[in-house]
Amino acid sequence: MYQDLFHALPLILDWQNFLAIVLGVVSGILVGAMPGLSATMAISLLIPFTFGMSPLVALGMMAGIYNGAMYGGSIPAVLLRIPGTPAAVATTFDGYPMAQAGRGGFALQVSVVSSAIGGIASALALMLIAPPLASVTLLFGPAEIFWVAVLGLGSIVFLLGSDLLKGLISAVIGVLLSLVGADSITGYDRFTFGHLQLFDGINVIVLLVGLYALPPAIGLLENAALDLGAGARSLGRGGVLSSIPKLLGYWKTWLRGSVIGIFVGILPGAGGSMGAFLSYDAARRASKNPEHWGNGEPEGVAASETANNADTAAAMIPALTLGIPGTPVAAIVLGGLLVQGMQPGPMLFHDHPDVVFGFMWQFLFSAILLMVLGGSLATNAFSRVLRLPRPFLGPIIFALMVVGVYSVNQEMFDVYLMLGFGVLGYFMEKLHFPLPPVVLGLILGGYAEENLRLALRISGGHWSGLYTHPISQGLIFLLALVVFGPFIKRAITRFVRARHADR
Amino acid sequence: MSKSVSSEYEFGELIAAAFLFFVGCYGLTLASDMPTESAILPIAMLGSLLVLSLILGVRALIRLRAGRKGGVVFTHKGRFAAALGIVLVYVGAIPEVGFYTTTSVMIVLTAVIFGYRRPLGLVLGVLVFVGGLALIFHGLLNRDFPTEFFLR
């Protein structure tokens, strides 16, 4: 099972693959450091640049960007109290007070070392868990795959947002978008309005670029006068490696943050910000000095950054093994695999072991490279990205969006469609409708429908075929936990509080 | 404008609910013409959208009647309109004028409209960015964008 993993290692050490990881990490840190620009946006804009590349070079860049952006988000979080990415919100709690006290350089060293450790742990989890899970998923039939798809969608709706109603609406919109195109079984064209370009359905890259790139690009121009550079001061020139001995006392926090981040990463829909908050909270509870937290406690930065990087490779576990992306970034990576002619899912491990195992190594190397590329000198340079003029950056993103979407099929129609999704995404963000369920709805909706219909055909039209197999029953149980779990937890909390109040 | 003195957010939700309800109704009329097997999921989803949008609308109305003020949706209406207008004109002009020309003009105009006032930096930035795109996509990846009007 693991021999393919070791066979893939020499491929990654090829200079082109290695350079791709380095470029990915550097560009990921740069994009992550710009408030409002996320890893999702960076990777979705990058995909067209990978069309002519070999699969491993393209995936290496994506792995580098993902890890780099997660750390890059901590730079403005520490220096300006503006999280560069949503996952860096918890980093602001102690990172910014540290910067105000003149310890911004140390905060970023804690951040980069913790990010690297979280990323390494996550890559190791991917290497250990994904191969056996892929073997198990080979046993799945259409009914099981249907339930996995419903579980993925259910998880993102019920675990993600504070507003369940809006989460459900977002998921329904996503599933409806997945229905556009010719029906794969009857051949009937659904919601295409006579446009031939829609017969194959909506390309996930078109949706992702629209939803995730246009709103922040407009946001940059809406707040074009904001001068972020003023807050970025010199951070000192101490090397990261020399500061590691001072940080070794945080090993428990690193371990806890890694476990939390990996667990949250595997859960579809939970995402890096949830992992960072959970890790921060758990570390604060375990701390001997909880009163210092929020006032510049380096361990707070370590807790948050470990978890948000531990989520990265772990999020690829359900994506690579089941073809079900747990996060928007995982969805884009799956889109990238499709562009390269590879179908994500259990057969990926069988058909392209060099690529899938090579990708795991790339996650590991990109996490290790963070220590080198995210060091103090580099961080001083990266903090200058905050001084880039926003009126210049906004239109550059517009142009990259067009490049990215047009390159998919060489059709202006896709660009118009992307623009429509961008406007939709802008208003959804303003009204606090979560975006990830739309993306997962698009990816999983068609997948669920196709497998549901296949399962029903196999069972001769009997619905019982959906729940007679033990794996299906296990998945239904998990789904019930995901759907009803939050309500049960809330009811128990209310009951316990009421009992305490009575006393 | 203070965030707490406006009900714009609740009005926004109400408009969104009405829009989604309309989409649901229109979609159902289309789905009713589909063969049964193809129509099951569309009808289920559109029906769900109708119910959910109704709940959203009623919730927004109740909140408005209760005097809840969720704040503003647009913090900079003019800037939003300008940014959206630019991107619409840009995308509309690409097939007519050509990708590289339109992109160069769009970047310069947007930067100037939104307050960037360093001509040398702007010209250099545009040259590096657009030149880099041409080098990568035309030179290396052999991917063409809509042709420039002066090359047709």
Side-chain angles (χ1 to χ4, degrees):
Chain A
M1 193 187 296
Y2 291 105
Q3 62 266 40
D4 287 327
L5 186 65
F6 293 102
H7 287 160
L9 182 58
L11 296 174
I12 302 311
L13 299 175
D14 176 69
W15 72 270
Q16 284 176 317
N17 292 336
F18 201 73
L19 184 67
I21 303 173
V22 172
L23 282 176
V25 172
V26 171
S27 45
I29 298 175
L30 283 171
V31 173
M34 270 313 291
L37 309 189
S38 60
T40 315
M41 196 194 88
I43 300 179
S44 57
L45 291 181
L46 170 95
I47 280 187
F49 290 86
T50 67
F51 284 149
M53 299 175 183
S54 75
L56 272 179
V57 174
L59 290 171
M61 244 182 169
M62 289 183 208
I65 289 184
Y66 198 1
N67 267 324
M70 282 295 165
Y71 160 64
S74 72
I75 298 174
V78 167
L79 299 179
L80 307 165
R81 205 168 59 181
I82 301 172
T85 57
V89 172
T91 308
T92 60
F93 300 162
D94 287 284
Y96 185 63
M98 283 178 76
Q100 281 186 311
R103 301 171 70 206
F106 182 57
L108 287 174
Q109 286 179 348
V110 174
S111 167
V112 75
V113 173
S114 305
S115 295
I117 287 170
I120 291 167
S122 190
L124 292 175
L126 174 65
M127 288 173 163
L128 288 173
I129 300 171
L133 191 60
S135 311
V136 173
T137 53
L138 280 172
L139 304 172
F140 285 19
E144 287 78 23
I145 295 174
F146 164 74
W147 285 116
V148 168
V150 176
L151 178 65
L153 207 51
S155 304
I156 205 157
V157 171
F158 287 91
L159 296 178
L160 184 78
S162 51
D163 194 334
L164 182 62
L165 178 63
K166 288 182 177 173
L168 282 169
I169 291 175
S170 294
V172 168
I173 291 172
V175 175
L176 280 170
L177 291 175
S178 79
L179 301 175
V180 174
D183 183 332
S184 58
I185 293 177
T186 65
Y188 190 88
D189 61 303
R190 300 187 291 195
F191 310 117
T192 59
F193 303 99
H195 290 285
L196 284 174
Q197 297 93 333
L198 288 175
F199 269 49
D200 284 336
I202 292 169
N203 189 299
V204 68
I205 294 172
V206 174
L207 177 78
L208 278 165
V209 172
L211 282 185
Y212 282 93
L214 188 68
I218 289 181
L220 282 174
L221 294 176
E222 280 184 312
N223 301 296
L226 203 63
D227 179 16
L228 298 174
R233 55 193 81 115
S234 180
L235 302 165
R237 288 174 181 269
V240 166
L241 295 177
S242 63
S243 67
I244 288 180
K246 281 187 273 180
L247 308 178
L248 290 178
Y250 303 142
W251 69 271
K252 280 186 193 165
T253 304
W254 287 336
L255 190 65
R256 194 188 300 110
S258 296
V259 172
I260 291 173
I262 290 166
F263 180 71
V264 166
I266 295 172
L267 274 182
S273 51
M274 186 198 271
F277 276 114
L278 287 176
S279 170
Y280 183 89
D281 190 48
R284 189 167 56 105
R285 283 165 194 264
S287 170
K288 287 176 189 157
N289 310 304
E291 68 280 3
H292 292 173
W293 289 60
N295 299 315
E297 172 57 55
E299 204 174 344
V301 176
S304 159
E305 285 300 309
T306 309
N308 71 24
N309 271 68
D311 150 89
T312 53
M316 297 310 302
I317 294 172
L320 292 176
T321 55
L322 299 163
I324 291 180
T327 61
V329 176
I332 302 172
V333 174
L334 291 197
L337 283 171
L338 289 170
V339 165
Q340 298 282 351
M342 286 175 270
Q343 179 66 45
M347 289 310 287
L348 186 67
F349 285 74
H350 181 264
D351 297 339
H352 304 281
D354 49 339
V355 174
V356 75
F357 289 107
F359 188 38
M360 294 178 190
W361 284 112
Q362 287 171 321
F363 260 108
L364 183 67
F365 285 134
S366 62
I368 295 169
L369 272 173
L370 265 186
M371 295 246 205
V372 183
L373 299 170
S376 290
L377 275 175
T379 301
N380 268 321
F382 289 134
S383 67
R384 289 177 199 276
V385 80
L386 300 174
R387 294 176 190 158
L388 278 176
R390 292 177 153 229
F392 192 64
L393 205 57
I396 281 181
I397 296 173
F398 290 157
L400 286 174
M401 287 165 56
V402 171
V403 167
V405 169
Y406 185 82
S407 301
V408 177
N409 294 317
Q410 310 256 300
E411 289 272 5
M412 276 310 285
F413 182 83
D414 286 341
V415 178
Y416 304 141
L417 203 58
M418 173 273 291
L419 200 57
F421 289 136
V423 174
L424 176 75
Y426 180 86
F427 285 106
M428 286 181 76
E429 272 206 337
K430 288 284 181 188
L431 292 171
H432 301 143
F433 284 87
L435 298 181
V438 183
V439 180
L440 287 200
L442 174 69
I443 291 172
L444 298 180
Y447 198 52
E449 187 197 22
E450 198 180 320
N451 283 288
L452 170 67
R453 284 160 68 178
L454 270 174
L456 286 175
R457 284 186 174 218
I458 290 168
S459 65
H462 297 292
W463 290 87
S464 60
L466 287 176
Y467 52 81
T468 43
H469 199 277
I471 298 177
S472 297
Q473 290 165 354
L475 289 166
I476 294 168
F477 176 72
L478 274 178
L479 181 65
L481 267 185
V482 165
V483 173
F484 299 112
F487 298 107
I488 295 169
K489 192 182 157 198
R490 214 175 298 161
I492 293 171
T493 313
R494 226 176 270 163
F495 177 72
V496 171
R497 274 195 197 145
R499 280 195 66 174
H500 278 290
D502 287 345
R503 282 178 196 172
Chain B
M1 196 190 303
S2 168
K3 279 195 162 190
S4 57
V5 295
S6 171
S7 296
E8 199 177 291
Y9 186 79
E10 284 73 21
F11 277 113
E13 285 190 327
L14 201 56
I15 292 167
F19 173 73
L20 292 171
F21 189 79
F22 168 76
V23 170
C25 290
Y26 179 62
L28 275 176
T29 61
L30 296 177
S32 61
D33 292 336
M34 294 176 187
T36 314
E37 196 182 340
S38 300
I40 294 172
L41 193 60
I43 288 176
M45 286 297 117
L46 289 162
S48 305
L49 189 65
L50 282 182
V51 173
L52 293 170
S53 60
L54 268 178
I55 297 172
L56 181 70
V58 170
R59 190 178 78 174
L61 273 176
I62 291 170
R63 286 177 176 176
L64 273 171
R65 288 194 64 175
R68 182 166 152 167
K69 297 181 191 303
V72 293
V73 175
F74 294 101
T75 45
H76 305 90
K77 287 188 180 76
R79 283 175 172 272
F80 165 71
L84 187 63
I86 285 168
V87 78
L88 285 173
V89 171
Y90 169 55
V91 167
I94 288 173
E96 310 302 323
V97 184
F99 173 73
Y100 293 109
T101 311
T102 318
T103 301
S104 306
V105 173
M106 183 272 295
I107 294 175
V108 171
L109 277 181
T110 311
V112 170
I113 289 170
F114 284 91
Y116 189 66
R117 297 284 182 267
R118 293 166 69 182
L120 187 64
L122 193 54
V123 171
L124 271 177
V126 170
L127 279 176
V128 169
F129 177 69
V130 177
L133 282 182
L135 186 74
I136 293 171
F137 283 93
H138 193 69
L140 296 175
L141 299 177
N142 210 13
R143 293 231 157 204
D144 288 326
F145 295 111
T147 317
E148 309 311 302
F149 69 96
F150 50 83
L151 292 176
R152 284 172 199 160

